[in-house]
Amino acid sequence: MAVRKPPVTTREYWAPGHAACAGCGCATALRLATKAFSEAMEEKYGDPDAFAIAQATGCMEVVSAVFPYTAWKAPWVHVAFENAAAVASGVEAAWKKKGLKGKILAIGGDGGTADIGMQALSGMLERWHNVVYLMYDNEAYMNTGIQRSSSTPYGAWTTTSPPGKYSIGEDKPKKWVALIAAAHQIPYVATASIGNPFDFVRKMKKAAKVDGPAFVQVHCTCPTGWKSPLEKGVEIARLAIETGVWPLFEIENGDFHNIKIQSPGGGAKVKREGGKIVAIEFKKPIEEYLKLQGRFKHLFKQPEAIDQLREQIKAMWKVLGVEVTLPKPEE
Amino acid sequence: MPIRTVMKANEAAAWAAKLAKPKVIAAFPITPSTLVPEKISEFVANGELDAEFIKVESEHSAISACVGASAAGVRTFTATASQGLALMHEILFIAAGMRLPIVIAVGNRALSAPINIWNDWQDTISERDTGWLQFYAENNQEALDLILIAYKVAEDERVLLPAMVGFDAFILTHTVEPVEIPDQELVDEFLGEYEPKHAYLDPKRPITQGTLAFPAHYMEARYKVWEANENARKVIDEVFAEFEKKFGRKYQKIEEYRTDDAEIIFVTMGSLAGTVKEYVDHLREKGVKAGAAKMTVYRPFPIEEVRELAKKAKVLALLEKNVTFSVGGALFQDFSRTLVNEKEKPVIVDFILGLGGRDVTFKDLDEALAIAQKALNGEEFDEVNWIGLRKEIL
Ligand SMILES: Cc1ncc(C[n+]2csc(CCOP(=O)(O)OP(=O)(O)O)c2C)c(N)n1
Ligand code: SF4
C-alpha cells in the first residue's frame, strides 16, 4: 500500500509540552515555521537541522523555555525583548566565521518587532544578514497581559486601549510592518496566516532558501487576548483573509510594482489584469471576522467605527495596488 | 620581537583586539572611542584581522550581536563609552547572567545631562553591579595589556564572565604614548583559541540559552554569577602572574606606591594614578608621609588587597571621578563597607573630583590633602568633599 508523504515534515523542533494557552495560534505558527525551515535546510544544505533560532521576549519565549525545561529541539537563544534581530546578526556572523552552513531564524512578536525592536530589525535587514525574521502577529503585547501595540487593529479592545465614554478602543490604524520591511529592498517579504498553513509553510521555505535577509509576518490568533473561542483559531484567521482584513502577499527585492497579491477565497470575486490582481470584491463582511472576537464586541454598538475600519482596510489594499469592495452585512 | 611604537589608547585597544583575534566584532561610534572601530575596520579591510565586523545601528545592537555571537561560541569584542555603554545597560546584565566572556573597551566618559564628552568614570561605575569584571588602565600600554588579560580571565572556566576595560577619555584615548605591541605568537600562547566547553547553538547538540527562571531557580543563577566573580579574584592573580612571565609587565589588583611608611594614602584609578604618584613624590620632598594606591581591578572588588592596604595607613583619601547619590562615590562605599568590621581601620575620606573632564591639579590635591590632614590630626572633617568646584558659578 502506498504511503502518502505528509504535506510537511513530521520532524518537530517546537516540541509538545510548552506552556502556551490552549488554542494558541502563535504556537501553531512556530511549529509550522520550524518544520518549514527544516525542510528548506534539508533541500538547500542536505541537513534538516542546519539552523539556529534567536527569539525575542514575549509569549512564545516564556512558554517555551522555562528553566530547567525547554520546548526547543533546535539551538535557541533568547536575550531580550527588542533585540532578536541584533542577536541573530551576531549568531549569523559567528556561524559564518565558524564555517557552519545554514540559516538563522529570528522570531519576535508584534511588540518585539513593530515597536521596540523596529530599530534592530531595520539594522539587521539593511546590513543584509542571512536571517529570516518571523514576526508572529497576535496584534498586542500578550505576555504582559494584552496591551496595545502599533500592530493592534483599529477599534480593538486591549487593556491600554479600553473602549469607554471617550474611546472606541484602539484609535490608530494597524502599522504596515511588512511594507516597512520591504522598503529595505531585501530579497523576500511575505505576509502569511495560520488560516492558510500550506501557504505559510511555502513562504517560510522560500524565505529560508533565499540568500540574504527575509521577513515573514504571520497573522496568528490569541484566544486569550482576542477573547475568542479556543477551538476557532484557524477559522478566525481564515476569516481575516476572506473578509479582506488580512491581505496575503509577497514582495521580492522591494519591488513595490510587483507585489504578488493572493486570492483571498471565501467567494471573493477577483479581477486580474495581466495576471496581476487589481481588484477584489469581498463577499464576506468584516463583521463575520469581528463578531467571533470579544475584543471587538463593543464596536457593534458603534457601527460607524466598523465603517471607519472598513475605510482603513480599503486604504491598505490601495497601497498594495488593489481596489477592494468590502460589503456591509445584510440587515 | 615586540614592536615599540607610539599610539593613542584607542589604537592600543584596537591592537589588543587584533592580537586577541576575535571572530566577531560589533561596534557603533561614540566619542571618545570612535577610533577603536575605525582602526579595527582598517585591520579587517587590510586582511590583518580575520573577523566579521558588524557595523550595527546602535550600541544596543552592538552588545546584542556580541551576545549572539558569543552564544554561538566565538570570541567577540566591542568598544564604547558613556551614553553608548548606558544604552547597553540592559544587555550587560544578560551577558553576565548568560556567562558569556565578551570584552568591551570603554573610553571612560561623563554621562548626560549636560552632554559632555570628557573624562570621568561614571559610565563604567554605573555598570559596576552588572556582573562584569572591571579593569581600569593608567596609560595606553595598560589599555592594551588589560584587554588581553581581560579575555584570559573572562574565558577561564572558573569565571566565564564578560569584562570591561576602561581608559580615560582624551587623557588616554587621544593622547599618544609609547606602547609596546607584543608578539602575536606570544599572545596566541597566552590566550589560545577560545573553545567553549559546552555546545553553543550547535545544531548537532542543540541547547536552549537565555531561558526564563522561576523563583525556584533564579536566585541560584544569580549566585553563580556572584560565585564566578569571587573566583575571578584568584584567577586574576594567576593571569597577572602569567602575563608578567610572558610579557615582563607586572600588574596587581591594587598597585601601591610609597605606601610602606605612609600615614595618608591616596587611592584612585585610571590615568589619575599617574598624577597622584607624582604628587606623592612632591609631598615626600616636603616631608609629608603620603603614598598612593591604584585600583587596576574594581570588579570583583579586591577585598583582601583593600584590607591589606588599610593596615598601612591612618587615612585613606579616595579620589574618585564619579558620584552616587548615597554617601559619596562608589569607591567610598566599597572601601567603607570592606573595612567596617576590621578592628584597626584607617579613617576614610572621600573626594569627588575631575567630573566631566575637569583637570585635577596639584592645587586640587592640596585641597584634598588639607582635609585628609584634619582627619589625621583628629580634627573635624567632612567625609565627602567635592574638589575643584567653581563656587562662583553655583
Ligand atoms: C525593555 C522591555 N520592556 C518591556 C518588557 C516587558 N515585556 C515583555 S514581553 C512584552 C510584550 C511582548 O509582546 P509581543 O512582542 O507582541 O509578543 P507576545 O507577548 O504578544 O507574544 C513586554 C511589554 C521587557 N521585557 N523589556
Ligand atoms: S496569551 Fe495568546 S499568544 Fe500568549 S500563549 Fe496565550 S494564546 Fe498564545
Side-chain angles (χ1 to χ4, degrees), chain A residues 20-26 59-60 63 138 142 221-225:
Chain A
C21 309
C24 175
C26 302
C59 261
M60 291 302 98
V63 303
N138 57 19
M142 298 311 177
T221 51
C222 163
T224 310

Side-chain angles (χ1 to χ4, degrees), chain B residues 154-171:
Chain B
E155 291 171 3
D156 191 288
E157 282 286 327
R158 293 163 290 176
V159 180
L160 282 181
L161 286 176
M164 54 181 79
V165 177
F167 41 92
D168 290 343
F170 296 101
I171 304 171

Side-chain angles (χ1 to χ4, degrees), chain B residues 37-335:
Chain B
E38 284 176 348
K39 191 79 198 158
I40 290 175
S41 300
E42 268 176 43
F43 288 144
V44 174
N46 297 332
E48 291 171 66
L49 173 60
D50 178 21
E52 282 293 314
F53 186 179
I54 313 178
K55 284 125 191 179
V56 282
E57 84 298 334
S58 73
E59 290 87 349
H60 194 283
S61 285
I63 187 67
S64 300
C66 284
V67 169
S70 195
V74 303
R75 188 175 283 159
T76 65
F77 180 79
T78 184
T80 190
S82 182
Q83 309 299 129
L85 188 66
L87 188 56
M88 293 180 177
H89 175 72
E90 178 197 20
I91 311 303
L92 297 181
F93 274 92
I94 295 171
M98 288 175 68
R99 310 293 299 279
L100 301 172
I102 300 159
V103 172
I104 301 186
V106 184
N108 280 116
R109 166 185 151 183
L111 277 157
S112 264
I115 192 164
N116 175 295
I117 58 170
W118 293 274
N119 166 243
D120 65 35
W121 312 321
Q122 193 68 54
D123 51 4
T124 46
I125 285 289
S126 299
E127 308 301 344
R128 69 189 183 278
D129 300 332
T130 52
W132 284 59
L133 312 172
Q134 291 201 342
F135 299 86
Y136 290 81
E138 179 185 334
N139 53 46
N140 298 357
Q141 183 70 56
E142 291 196 8
L144 189 152
D145 292 351
L146 288 173
I147 288 170
L148 300 178
I149 287 166
Y151 272 115
K152 179 92 175 168
V153 178
E155 291 171 3
D156 191 288
E157 282 286 327
R158 293 163 290 176
V159 180
L160 282 181
L161 286 176
M164 54 181 79
V165 177
F167 41 92
D168 290 343
F170 296 101
I171 304 171
L172 298 181
T173 56
H174 287 63
T175 305
V176 169
E177 287 184 344
V179 172
E180 184 177 303
I181 303 169
D183 275 345
Q184 183 69 59
E185 296 86 84
L186 268 191
V187 175
D188 289 346
E189 271 175 34
F190 176 69
L191 275 185
E193 277 253 335
Y194 172 51
E195 276 168 19
K197 210 157 132 197
H198 311 282
Y200 284 89
L201 299 183
D202 174 356
K204 294 296 154 226
R205 273 173 69 199
I207 60 165
T208 296
Q209 294 183 73
T211 62
L212 165 76
F214 278 6
H217 293 109
Y218 178 82
M219 206 161 146
E220 284 68 22
R222 297 304 295 168
Y223 176 82
K224 293 302 272 184
V225 175
W226 186 80
E227 186 185 57
N229 258 279
E230 293 293 304
N231 293 347
R233 294 202 178 87
K234 181 165 170 269
V235 175
I236 288 170
D237 284 338
E238 289 172 18
V239 172
F240 279 167
E242 197 185 330
F243 188 89
E244 187 183 353
K245 235 165 99 194
K246 273 225 152 58
F247 302 99
R249 285 183 292 278
K250 184 181 171 73
Y251 287 93
Q252 289 171 293
K253 289 180 208 146
I254 297 187
E255 183 191 302
E256 297 182 23
Y257 184 73
R258 301 184 85 164
T259 52
D260 279 346
D261 60 338
E263 289 180 327
I264 298 172
I265 297 178
F266 291 96
V267 185
T268 193
M269 311 198 297
S271 65
L272 187 54
T275 314
V276 173
K277 283 182 219 167
E278 247 194 82
Y279 182 64
V280 163
D281 287 342
H282 159 80
L283 292 183
R284 287 280 175 174
E285 274 168 31
K286 300 206 303 189
V288 182
K289 285 186 175 171
K294 174 182 84 178
M295 312 265 305
T296 302
V297 179
Y298 182 58
R299 281 290 183 273
F301 194 69
I303 295 169
E304 284 314 311
E305 289 78 2
V306 165
R307 288 188 177 144
E308 284 309 308
L309 182 74
K311 287 186 188 140
K312 297 187 176 162
K314 297 199 172 85
V315 174
L316 287 182
L318 309 182
L319 305 170
E320 50 183 330
K321 299 187 189 178
N322 77 93
V323 200
T324 75
F325 297 96
S326 173
V327 186
L331 264 70
F332 188 48
Q333 288 163 30
D334 279 325
F335 270 75

